[in-house]
Each structure stands twice: as structure tokens, then as C-alpha cells.
Amino acid sequence: MLLATYLVGGMAMNQSLLQFQQVLTLMLFRILESTDGVVGVLGAIEAINVLKRSGFKLKRSLEVIMFTSEEPTRFGISCLGSRLLAGSEALKKALKKTADNQNISFLDAARSAGYAKDQKDLSSVFLKKGSYSHFVELHIEQGPILEEEGISIGVVTAIAAPASIKVDFEGDGGHAGAVLMPNRNDAGLAAAELALAVEKHVLESGSIDTVGTVGILELHPGAINSIPSRAHLEIDTRDIDENRRNNVIEKIHQSALTIAKNRDVKLSGFNIVNQDPPALSEESIIKAMETASQELNLTHKLMISRAYHDSLFMARISPMGMIFIPCYKGYSHKPEEFASIQDIANGVKVLALTLAKLSMH
Amino acid sequence: MLLATYLVGGMAMNQSLLQFQQVLTLMLFRILESTDGVVGVLGAIEAINVLKRSGFKLKRSLEVIMFTSEEPTRFGISCLGSRLLAGSEALKKALKKTADNQNISFLDAARSAGYAKDQKDLSSVFLKKGSYSHFVELHIEQGPILEEEGISIGVVTAIAAPASIKVDFEGDGGHAGAVLMPNRNDAGLAAAELALAVEKHVLESGSIDTVGTVGILELHPGAINSIPSRAHLEIDTRDIDENRRNNVIEKIHQSALTIAKNRDVKLSGFNIVNQDPPALSEESIIKAMETASQELNLTHKLMISRAYHDSLFMARISPMGMIFIPCYKGYSHKPEEFASIQDIANGVKVLALTLAKLSMH
Ligand SMILES: [Mn+2]
Ligand SMILES: [Mn+2]
Ligand SMILES: [Mn+2]
Ligand SMILES: [Mn+2]
């Protein structure tokens, strides 16, 4: 059985290709919810349409998956659908206690959306390894390389290993006018120092493939006339080399301890939330994607995915490959995110031909 | 006419001392709204009760003022009530265009609370200089000095001059995994650098009286996997020396420009929101507060108010003085804020005796 994409609306809801209408309804929801996933879903359906229109006879069945919650927006867990489908025991346990910021539990939210009706145990959602012979995902690059080099197709050979860290500092706070500088232990300045230390340690790794970002930095109470008494940071670090990435994490931890000591603030939290291993694309899928690009007269390039995707988790239960297309300046997760119709069409053609090739064996 | 405290509920609503019931109702609202102002309002009323009970015959009338919005919580303007009462033309103009974060205009909010009914022009609220012979405010220190030194009463000789700055940086943002470090212009790291620069410039001023705080630092879009594309800081700087403070502001501005240049981010905003001059207490009021403390056998100390208060603005239209009492560790604007009943009672006694003395001339 060949897997192109497989639909998981709320949790493990299978859709055959004949039920297109419902798929499209759900897709509109996904379009409202996010941006970078749209081409992956619509493109997969169009690729199958292309094969249908061309009269191609499938030797394996094709399925479309739309994963729920690739973005960690509601429950703070990225790739929630694919992670659980791929059999994450840690996630299965965590979801029992997970709630959104309105304090609605994940299980209640799933039930009210019509899923997980009688399920206290989400392991029924797990897919067995070998359920699919191949998994292929089409995605915008979310980086500037293809656009800058004028190349049509990125053939992904590996997905960089992401790790997330949550850090909390606590100080005594106080009034911004009344507490003199020597008497302060400002949690916000500790956070500012750590943000700059993250950048420093990443740049010191010696590899262009190491990246680190402080995307969240929140101060409490967050008033102009209050010294911050608490600061919360969320740090994302990635690398294609797991050891090098973990070494950066260790240096960030050391910096957090040193900063806390020097500023007399408390390091009240340093939690590595996830530390996923990297994933490699499967050789036969890489080959099929390259050959497809060549036969379509499209320039292509082997490349690393520095963003991670549902494919990172699907790789745990199926051979995996990814096709990238150029996007404007590498922008993603913001209104300026854009891919041209021509580039999307190229990606869909390569996906269709790749599926055709893989389904012949 | 002697002014102790004068009630301004929403805008310029005079209350005679006979209308205590309504005063108390409004005070409960103030208690819910804030912390450090409670002693000032309840203490002023109790001071007048003390004088009444003692049979003291007033030679001047006393009024209690409760100012609206000392904290800049809703409309982002601190000491809104006293600033306008004291005749701020700048504020009068600004309030025509001021709205809260629900986009409710200040004028609509005032009208729906029963104020400013037919007023397009708020200058009717302005008080003439000389309307009051004296203005005295009782307040917790909001600093640790009195507690640390075991002194009962702080006699305020000057209020430090505050200034507020709003700063915005803008970069290209992008995906935290996909954009390599050399291709980034991270607005959040620019903000972190500026926060540390504020601390540096304040420490370099050479005076213990210079303080500076980054109480607000907000990142956009604020997601762990997004490079910050926008960062917003709000900076508070204070000093008892206006030139020294303005010199710090100039250095902060230079740093913001340099950081923006080095990191290739845009300094899209650097606005000095207010830059109020400092205020001095009036000699005869200082003398009355000192004598009152001595006669009550309470230790006292001349000191500077590093936090600012409605008194800063009342000083523009009336001779002014302030009485400080100790508070726990100098904490303010947080749940741990605390002053003991004994210290509050001492403050009320000094206020009552000061009012008595001032009313005899
Ligand atoms: Mn995404
Ligand atoms: Mn995606
Ligand atoms: Mn206050
Ligand atoms: Mn106050």
C-alpha cells in the first residue's frame, strides 16, 4: 500500500479517496488555521487527480492524510496528529493531562469535535510500522535557498532534529522608580542575557546547520513601572547532528545557571520539552523524486529540511521522503508567506510522478 | 482652603466630606483596582476623623481627593486624574484621541461612567493655581529604606523626574528552523540587547539616584518556532536630576540606533511618551511634617520619592508635601505588597497633625 497523504481530522479518522467532499470541507478549515500546510493537502489531492486524468493505473492504493495540529497553537504540542499516529507513548500519556489556555482538556476538545468518544487510552490511534510502504510530503521550503538559487525542486534527504526548551527566571520585582539599581534582581534582564547567550552558543557551534531561536519571551507583571519579577522564555534549537545540537543545549543550560547566579535571580525552570531525533529520507524515495524532477525538466537540488514536519514522525513507521518548492524570501508563519502558482504546479507534478514511480514496484 | 485629598471619581467630581457614603463606595472600587493607593485614600479620611474625634477646630476647610487612574492600566496614561486637574494642555489634547485596547475611546468611557457628559473640551476640569493652600499625600514608600533602617516616617523633599520611552524594532521574521543564522535580522535579539544597554547606561550615570527599567518587552508573533519579526519595549527612566536623566535617554536612543544598524533591523519607533520635570516639596509643609513626627515621638528621615505620585502633578498648582511609611521589602505592584497596621496608624497620625498645623495659619 502506498501512502501519499492520509486524513486525520481530529484523531485517526480514515477517509477513502471517494469521500472528496468531506476532505475539501476539512481543508477549508485547515486553510483558515494555517498557511504552510495548505499546499501539502491540496497538492496531494491534485496529484492524484493528475494521475486519474492521465489514465495511469495504480498498482498500490493511495491515501491522503491531513494531520491535525502540526502547529503547537492550541495545546502547545507540535505535530500532534502525526506524533500520536506514529505511536508516541510519551504523547499518549501527556495528552491525558493536556489542556489549552482556556483550561479545556485535550480529551474534552477531541470529544466535542466528535473524536475519541469512548477513549481513555489513545493507543488505539497508533499505526503499526509497515502499514505503509512509502510516505511522501509536498511542502514549501520555509527557507530562502531554492528561490535565491533559482531551483524549482528541493529533494529532502534529512530533517533537522528539533529541541524545545522552556526557561523561567524569578526575581523580587518591585517598583521601577523606588528600588535602586544595586538592590534589583531583574528577571527580565536575566532573560535578555540568556536570549543573547543562545545566539552566541549557536554561532560557536562551528556549523551553518546549527540554529537557535528565542521565539517567546514574556515578562511578568509586564507593566512599564514594574521591575520584571518573572520571565519566561521558549527556545528552539535544531541541527542535523543530534550531538552538536545537544551540546548547544548544555551550553544554554550552563549560561542560564551562571546568569541566575550573577543576577541573584532564581532559575525556577529549565525544561527540555522535546528533543526529537533527526530523520533521514529513504534512498528509493529520494531516487524517485530526483528522476521525476529530471523527466519533467525541472532543476532540483538535494537539501536538508531545517524546519520539521509531520514527515519527521511518519519516518518512525514508514519509509519517508519530502519535496520542497521555492517560497518568497523563505518567509513562513506570517502574512507575507507566498509560493507562486507555477512553483506549486511544479511540486504537484513531481509528487504525482514520484507516486506513480513508487506505485509500480 | 487646605487640601488633604480631593475626590476625582471619573473626572473632576467634587465631594464634600459630608458625603462619606459615596466616598467609601468608590474606595472599594479603588481597592479592587490597585494596591498602593489604598492607604492614601482611607488614611486621609481617617486623619480627618481623628481631628474630629479630638475636637480640633479647623481654621481652613479640608477636602479629600481620590484621583482616577494613577496607574496607566487602561488608557496607558499614568496619573490621568491629577495630570488633567493640574491643567495639562498636552493631556487634554491627547485624550481626544485616546482609546483602550478594546478601542473604547476615553471620552466614551468617561461618559458611560457618568462623566464628561457634554464635554468636548476637558479644560473645564483644570484647577486654577492657588485653589488650594496646601496638598499633602500619605503613601507607602515603595522602596526598602525605611524598613531597613527601622524608621517610622519618611518626609519627602522631592519627587524624582520620570520619563517613559516606547521602542519598536522590526525584522523579517521567518521560520526558526529554516532561516540560517547569517540570514536573520531578529527583532527580539535587538530588544534583548537594548534592555541590557538601558541597564548599562543607567549604571554609568555615576549617581545612585538614576534608575532605568524595561518593564515591558513583547515579541511578535510570539511562537517558539518563529523568529521574532517585531519587538516592543517600554522603558522607564527616573532621576532627581533632570539633565542627568535626559542624558541617559539620549544614550539609550544612540544604542537603539546602533543595535538596529548592526542587526539590520528597523528601529520603527522611539517615542518619549512623557518626560515630566521633578517636583520639590514646599518648605513649610516639610517643616510641619517633621515637627508632627517629633511631637508624636516617631523617628523620621528626609528622603526622595523615587516613585512618582499624583503629588508630582498637584505640585504644579499647589504647594505640596508627602508622608511615607515603611512597607515590606519595598515591594509594590505585586501581591506581596504589605504595610503593617502600626505603620499605617503612625502615618495617619502624622498626616492628621500635619493638617492641623497647616490649618492654623
Ligand atoms: Mn508551520
Ligand atoms: Mn508545515
Ligand atoms: Mn502604583
Ligand atoms: Mn501610588
Side-chain angles (χ1 to χ4, degrees):
Chain A
M1 175 167 55
L2 170 73
L3 177 124
T5 326
Y6 174 95
L7 181 75
V8 183
M11 190 54 49
M13 186 177 75
N14 297 13
Q15 287 293 127
S16 89
L17 285 174
L18 300 174
Q19 290 171 286
F20 265 145
Q21 208 146 21
Q22 190 171 356
V23 174
L24 284 166
T25 310
L26 283 164
M27 267 185 311
L28 289 175
F29 171 72
R30 172 79 176 151
I31 288 165
L32 290 173
E33 175 190 53
S34 169
T35 47
D36 62 71
V38 179
V39 165
V41 178
L42 291 175
I45 290 170
E46 181 57 18
I48 289 165
N49 277 335
V50 167
L51 293 178
K52 254 180 148 176
R53 285 200 298 271
S54 71
F56 183 79
K57 291 264 183 292
L58 296 171
K59 297 196 181 147
R60 294 168 181 268
S61 67
L62 291 176
E63 289 185 5
V64 175
I65 305 186
M66 185 171 74
F67 297 101
T68 191
S69 303
E70 188 214 33
E71 306 298 334
T73 36
R74 181 164 179 190
F75 292 101
I77 299 163
S78 63
C79 296
L80 197 157
S82 53
R83 216 183 263 266
L84 196 65
L85 206 68
S88 168
E89 287 287 343
L91 178 58
K92 184 189 89 177
K93 272 185 204 156
L95 283 176
K96 286 186 186 172
K97 294 176 182 170
T98 298
D100 66 12
N101 60 15
Q102 307 289 308
N103 217 22
I104 297 167
S105 76
F106 171 78
L107 286 176
D108 283 348
R111 280 188 205 108
S112 77
Y115 303 107
K117 280 262 182 283
D118 311 306
Q119 295 178 346
K120 281 180 190 164
D121 183 353
L122 290 166
S123 60
S124 63
V125 169
F126 292 177
L127 272 187
K128 276 207 186 70
K129 208 164 173 165
S131 302
Y132 295 102
S133 66
H134 307 82
F135 176 86
V136 186
E137 184 175 356
L138 173 64
H139 207 283
I140 61 167
E141 182 197 341
Q142 296 184 291
I145 299 169
L146 292 175
E147 186 189 52
E148 275 172 20
E149 302 184 3
I151 292 171
S152 297
I153 297 292
V155 170
V156 173
T157 56
I159 303 177
S164 312
I165 313 168
K166 295 187 180 183
V167 184
D168 293 280
F169 289 112
E170 282 180 33
D172 289 321
H175 190 283
V179 185
L180 298 182
M181 300 306 280
N183 299 328
R184 295 183 178 204
N185 57 354
D186 185 323
L189 293 178
E193 264 195 63
L194 187 63
L196 294 169
V198 168
E199 183 188 43
K200 178 169 169 283
H201 297 319
V202 165
L203 292 175
E204 282 169 358
S205 96
S207 167
I208 190 79
D209 292 323
T210 318
V211 291
T213 310
V214 176
I216 294 176
L217 197 169
E218 293 166 346
L219 302 183
H220 182 88
I224 188 169
N225 58 353
S226 292
I227 299 164
S229 58
R230 292 206 301 270
H232 174 76
L233 301 101
E234 300 197 12
I235 303 165
D236 179 298
T237 56
R238 304 181 192 211
D239 208 314
I240 52 167
D241 181 313
E242 198 172 3
N243 288 335
R244 197 166 55 203
R245 183 203 65 190
N246 291 350
N247 186 36
V248 168
I249 294 175
E250 182 48 33
K251 282 180 167 182
I252 294 172
H253 191 197
Q254 287 306 319
S255 283
L257 291 166
T258 306
I259 291 165
K261 197 175 167 221
N262 291 346
R263 290 195 171 269
D264 193 25
V265 300
K266 192 174 150 201
L267 179 63
S268 52
F270 190 95
N271 300 306
I272 301 170
V273 181
N274 60 55
Q275 203 164 7
D276 295 303
L280 297 178
S281 297
E282 209 252 349
E283 278 305 322
S284 70
I285 305 181
I286 295 174
K287 191 81 201 144
M289 296 186 291
E290 288 200 88
T291 313
S293 304
Q294 283 157 356
E295 290 176 4
L296 290 160
N297 278 324
L298 296 168
T299 50
H300 76 278
K301 170 177 184 143
L302 297 180
M303 63 193 303
I304 286 153
S305 171
R306 299 176 192 284
Y308 70 100
H309 309 275
D310 293 307
S311 292
L312 181 72
F313 302 97
M314 289 306 285
R316 296 177 181 179
I317 54 164
S318 166
M320 171 278 291
M322 283 192 81
I323 299 162
F324 274 177
I325 56 168
C327 61
Y328 174 61
K329 282 193 180 181
Y331 287 167
S332 186
H333 289 184
K334 51 188 254 176
E336 293 85 349
E337 183 180 299
F338 175 76
S340 74
I341 291 291
Q342 185 57 52
D343 286 327
I344 293 171
N346 288 341
V348 169
K349 282 180 202 162
V350 173
L351 176 61
L353 194 49
T354 300
L355 296 179
K357 287 177 185 301
L358 293 171
S359 85
M360 289 198 289
H361 304 292
Chain B
M1 177 166 53
L2 170 73
L3 176 125
T5 323
Y6 175 93
L7 182 75
V8 184
M11 191 52 49
M13 184 178 74
N14 297 13
Q15 286 293 128
S16 89
L17 285 174
L18 300 174
Q19 291 170 288
F20 266 143
Q21 208 146 21
Q22 187 169 0
V23 173
L24 285 166
T25 309
L26 283 164
M27 265 185 313
L28 289 176
F29 171 71
R30 173 78 176 153
I31 287 165
L32 291 173
E33 174 190 55
S34 169
T35 47
D36 64 69
V38 180
V39 165
V41 178
L42 290 174
I45 291 170
E46 180 56 18
I48 289 165
N49 276 335
V50 167
L51 293 178
K52 253 179 149 176
R53 284 199 300 271
S54 70
F56 183 80
K57 294 264 183 293
L58 296 171
K59 296 196 182 147
R60 293 170 183 269
S61 66
L62 291 175
E63 289 185 6
V64 175
I65 305 187
M66 185 170 75
F67 297 101
T68 193
S69 303
E70 189 213 32
E71 306 299 335
T73 38
R74 181 164 180 190
F75 292 101
I77 299 162
S78 63
C79 296
L80 197 156
S82 54
R83 217 182 263 264
L84 196 65
L85 206 68
S88 168
E89 287 287 344
L91 178 58
K92 184 190 90 176
K93 270 185 205 159
L95 283 176
K96 285 187 187 172
K97 293 176 185 174
T98 298
D100 66 13
N101 60 15
Q102 308 289 310
N103 218 21
I104 297 167
S105 77
F106 171 77
L107 285 175
D108 283 347
R111 279 186 204 110
S112 77
Y115 302 108
K117 282 261 183 285
D118 311 306
Q119 295 178 346
K120 282 180 190 166
D121 183 353
L122 290 164
S123 61
S124 62
V125 169
F126 292 177
L127 271 187
K128 276 207 186 70
K129 208 165 173 166
S131 302
Y132 295 102
S133 67
H134 307 82
F135 176 86
V136 186
E137 183 175 359
L138 173 63
H139 208 283
I140 61 169
E141 183 197 341
Q142 296 183 294
I145 299 169
L146 292 175
E147 185 189 53
E148 275 172 22
E149 301 184 4
I151 292 171
S152 298
I153 297 293
V155 170
V156 174
T157 56
I159 302 177
S164 313
I165 313 167
K166 295 188 181 183
V167 185
D168 293 279
F169 288 113
E170 282 180 34
D172 289 321
H175 190 283
V179 185
L180 298 181
M181 300 305 282
N183 299 329
R184 296 182 176 204
N185 57 354
D186 185 325
L189 293 177
E193 265 196 61
L194 187 62
L196 294 169
V198 168
E199 183 187 41
K200 178 169 171 282
H201 297 319
V202 165
L203 292 175
E204 283 170 357
S205 95
S207 167
I208 190 78
D209 293 324
T210 318
V211 292
T213 309
V214 176
I216 294 175
L217 196 168
E218 292 166 347
L219 303 184
H220 183 87
I224 187 168
N225 57 353
S226 292
I227 299 163
S229 57
R230 291 206 302 270
H232 174 77
L233 301 102
E234 299 196 13
I235 303 166
D236 179 297
T237 56
R238 302 180 195 213
D239 207 314
I240 52 169
D241 182 313
E242 197 172 4
N243 287 335
R244 198 166 54 205
R245 182 202 65 190
N246 292 349
N247 187 35
V248 168
I249 294 174
E250 182 48 33
K251 281 179 167 183
I252 294 171
H253 191 196
Q254 287 306 319
S255 284
L257 290 167
T258 306
I259 291 164
K261 196 175 167 219
N262 291 344
R263 289 194 170 270
D264 194 25
V265 300
K266 192 175 151 200
L267 179 62
S268 52
F270 189 95
N271 300 306
I272 301 170
V273 181
N274 59 56
Q275 201 166 7
D276 295 304
L280 297 177
S281 298
E282 208 252 350
E283 278 306 321
S284 70
I285 304 181
I286 294 174
K287 191 83 203 142
M289 296 187 290
E290 287 200 271
T291 313
S293 304
Q294 284 156 356
E295 290 175 5
L296 290 160
N297 279 323
L298 296 168
T299 50
H300 77 277
K301 170 178 184 144
L302 297 180
M303 63 195 302
I304 286 154
S305 172
R306 298 176 193 285
Y308 69 100
H309 308 275
D310 291 307
S311 292
L312 181 72
F313 302 97
M314 289 306 285
R316 296 177 181 177
I317 54 165
S318 166
M320 172 277 292
M322 282 194 83
I323 299 163
F324 273 178
I325 56 169
C327 61
Y328 175 60
K329 283 193 179 178
Y331 287 168
S332 186
H333 289 182
K334 51 189 250 174
E336 292 85 349
E337 183 180 300
F338 175 77
S340 74
I341 291 293
Q342 186 57 53
D343 286 328
I344 292 172
N346 289 340
V348 169
K349 283 180 202 162
V350 173
L351 176 61
L353 194 50
T354 301
L355 296 180
K357 287 179 186 301
L358 293 171
S359 85
M360 290 198 289
H361 303 292

